[in-house]
Amino acid sequence: MERKTPVPLSMPEATTLPESVVTKIDLSRLVQELDHVREVAHQASLRGGEQAALPALSQGLSDLALLYQIDMNESAQRQALLDRLQQVRGAAPSFRISFAAEPSPVFLSKLISWLRREMHPQLLLQIGLQPSIAAGCVIRTQSKYFDFSLRKDLGQKRDTLLGYLRGGQP
Amino acid sequence: MELWQLVLIVTSVLAATAGFIWNALHLKQHRNTKPINPVGAAAKDNLANAAVQHVFDDQFREELRKQGREQFEKIISENAMFLQSDLRLTGAQLNDYMKREIGRTLKEEFGKYEQSITDAKQLAVQSIDKTRQAIEQQRQVLSEELRKSEEAEKQRMIAHFEQNMAEIINHYVLAAIGDQIDLDNQLEYIIGEIETNKQAILEDIQNGT
């Protein structure tokens, strides 16, 4: 992940998510992981003694910590990040996007990066599979359906196909 | 010979016969009723009577009777022949008349019968013709309806075939190339489509949140 300018957590509207966090499940996993780290640290503090070693952080959490310049050993910063992530999880916009085949992480990374840059910085996706569309994608938002698939394109060119079937010019 | 002529002849014969008989009877009466005359006249009368008696004796009378009978029989037979020939003629004429009348009547009746048959045949032909025309019209109507129905069914089948064929071809293309196109190569296309509809997507997302 490229290094970006640190974004203060005090600017909630500027909170963005790393490219590795694509879906709500990814975000929930991050929240769980962060909560786990917090719990481990809390347990260690209760036992007293030297600062306990934190569990290994996932790539997503590491990217997040790097993005927001968070010291994961600092409980206040951890808590602030956790609160922020929980807020984002509750309020982040999302839509469902389906592909003909399982998208690769690189593909998703590029796609989500463009979407958060052009549409909303906290946009999350729900990834689906629809082999019948062959190529392209279909997007389902709250109340609309957008078909950008090859299936639809072929359907729109049905008259052309019928023209060829009838033996004449379309 | 007519009937009245025959009657006239018979009447004449009978009259002649009656006159002859009366005359004979009168002469006989005159002979039987001679008057008491003086001698000279009486002698003349006696001579006359004797002469008459000599002339008109029984043989002569018998002869006259015989001739009368023969004449009468001759006349009767002649008239009978005339009557017979007239009857034959009348019978023949009656036969001819009956034949003509019966033939004429039969001809008239056969003519009427033939006319009625002709009229009935004409009516039957007209009725058959009308029926044939009605059937022909109905056939044309049915043919037209059948043709339209066939055309509509053909068009429907063609449309159904075309739709099915288009669906089959689409499915084939999708199945054939679906797993050949790398998703990574589609990123530019997908982003382009989302870019085109970005505003609509964004509005719906914001309305939803």
Side-chain angles (χ1 to χ4, degrees):
Chain A
M1 181 182 154
E2 61 185 31
R3 192 182 179 90
K4 295 184 179 175
T5 308
V7 179
L9 283 178
S10 58
M11 296 174 63
E13 65 275 9
T15 304
T16 187
L17 296 171
E19 290 174 359
S20 57
V21 178
V22 176
T23 65
K24 266 192 177 176
I25 296 175
D26 296 336
L27 185 58
S28 296
R29 206 173 288 137
L30 271 186
V31 169
Q32 261 184 330
E33 185 185 356
L34 188 55
D35 190 56
H36 174 67
V37 168
R38 183 187 62 81
E39 186 65 29
V40 167
H42 178 65
Q43 292 289 335
S45 67
L46 286 178
R47 280 194 292 272
E50 294 181 2
Q51 195 173 8
L54 294 176
L57 300 178
S58 65
Q59 183 64 42
L61 197 52
S62 299
D63 293 340
L64 206 58
L66 191 63
L67 178 64
Y68 293 109
Q69 294 291 310
I70 299 293
D71 184 3
M72 296 302 288
N73 294 317
E74 289 291 322
S75 63
Q77 292 184 23
R78 271 200 315 267
Q79 190 61 43
L81 180 59
L82 181 60
D83 294 340
R84 176 63 59 223
L85 287 179
Q86 284 173 344
Q87 280 181 4
V88 169
R89 185 174 66 174
S94 68
F95 60 76
R96 185 178 181 85
I97 183 167
S98 300
F99 302 97
E102 187 74 33
S104 63
V106 174
F107 174 87
L108 284 176
S109 172
K110 292 179 182 175
L111 180 62
I112 200 66
S113 172
W114 183 88
L115 286 171
R116 285 174 183 161
R117 187 173 61 246
E118 297 292 331
M119 298 183 81
H120 195 284
Q122 298 170 2
L123 187 64
L124 295 171
L125 300 177
Q126 296 174 32
I127 307 299
L129 276 182
Q130 240 179 296
S132 62
I133 64 176
C137 67
V138 292
I139 293 175
R140 189 187 301 275
T141 57
Q142 189 74 15
S143 58
K144 287 187 182 176
Y145 180 84
F146 301 88
D147 192 339
F148 305 132
S149 65
L150 180 62
R151 179 180 62 185
K152 186 186 177 190
D153 193 59
L154 287 176
Q156 287 174 343
K157 292 182 172 61
R158 181 192 294 269
D159 290 340
T160 306
L161 178 60
L162 288 177
Y164 281 116
L165 282 175
R166 289 174 189 143
Q169 294 295 323
Chain B
M1 182 183 285
E2 301 290 340
L3 191 60
W4 65 272
Q5 290 174 347
L6 181 63
V7 170
L8 189 62
I9 292 169
V10 171
T11 306
S12 301
V13 168
L14 289 175
T17 306
F20 181 77
I21 293 172
W22 179 82
N23 201 17
L25 289 176
H26 181 70
L27 285 175
K28 188 175 180 182
Q29 276 181 355
H30 184 70
R31 189 184 66 186
N32 290 334
T33 60
K34 55 186 177 178
I36 303 174
N37 293 324
V39 177
K44 288 183 184 171
D45 290 335
N46 290 335
L47 282 174
N49 289 334
V52 166
Q53 290 291 327
H54 179 71
V55 171
F56 293 96
D57 57 359
D58 294 334
Q59 187 176 359
F60 182 72
R61 287 195 183 99
E62 190 59 32
E63 188 65 24
L64 283 178
R65 286 194 196 100
K66 184 181 173 185
Q67 286 183 356
R69 275 199 297 274
E70 286 176 355
Q71 187 70 23
F72 181 74
E73 286 175 1
K74 181 182 174 185
I75 290 172
I76 289 297
S77 65
E78 282 178 358
N79 283 293
M81 273 195 327
F82 290 146
L83 182 62
Q84 190 179 12
S85 67
D86 281 342
L87 283 175
R88 282 195 186 128
L89 184 63
T90 303
Q93 289 176 343
L94 277 174
N95 282 339
D96 291 338
Y97 175 75
M98 289 297 290
K99 281 181 186 175
R100 280 199 309 273
E101 287 298 314
I102 290 172
R104 183 179 61 80
T105 304
L106 283 176
K107 196 174 179 181
E108 284 179 1
E109 292 302 317
F110 281 139
K112 289 178 186 175
Y113 181 68
E114 187 176 352
Q115 184 64 34
S116 66
I117 288 178
T118 304
D119 292 342
K121 188 171 76 172
Q122 191 73 20
L123 282 175
V125 167
Q126 288 176 358
S127 174
I128 289 172
D129 198 36
K130 283 183 185 174
T131 304
R132 186 187 59 77
Q133 287 177 358
I135 290 174
E136 180 65 24
Q137 284 179 355
Q138 196 66 22
R139 186 191 68 82
Q140 287 179 354
V141 168
L142 285 175
S143 294
E144 185 63 24
E145 284 181 5
L146 188 62
R147 187 191 64 79
K148 286 181 184 174
S149 174
E150 283 179 2
E151 188 65 29
E153 181 65 20
K154 187 171 79 171
Q155 292 301 324
R156 191 191 66 80
M157 289 177 70
I158 290 174
H160 192 244
F161 167 77
E162 287 176 348
Q163 183 180 0
N164 281 347
M165 182 57 73
E167 285 293 329
I168 290 169
I169 292 175
N170 281 350
H171 277 287
Y172 167 73
V173 169
L174 292 175
I177 69 172
D179 56 353
Q180 301 296 321
I181 301 178
D182 187 14
L183 191 57
D184 293 335
N185 295 332
Q186 302 172 30
L187 181 62
E188 195 174 331
Y189 167 76
I190 291 171
I191 288 176
E193 291 292 328
I194 296 176
E195 177 76 41
T196 305
N197 298 273
K198 184 171 77 172
Q199 200 58 38
I201 296 172
L202 208 52
E203 282 175 6
D204 201 57
I205 291 173
Q206 287 170 353
N207 288 339
T209 54

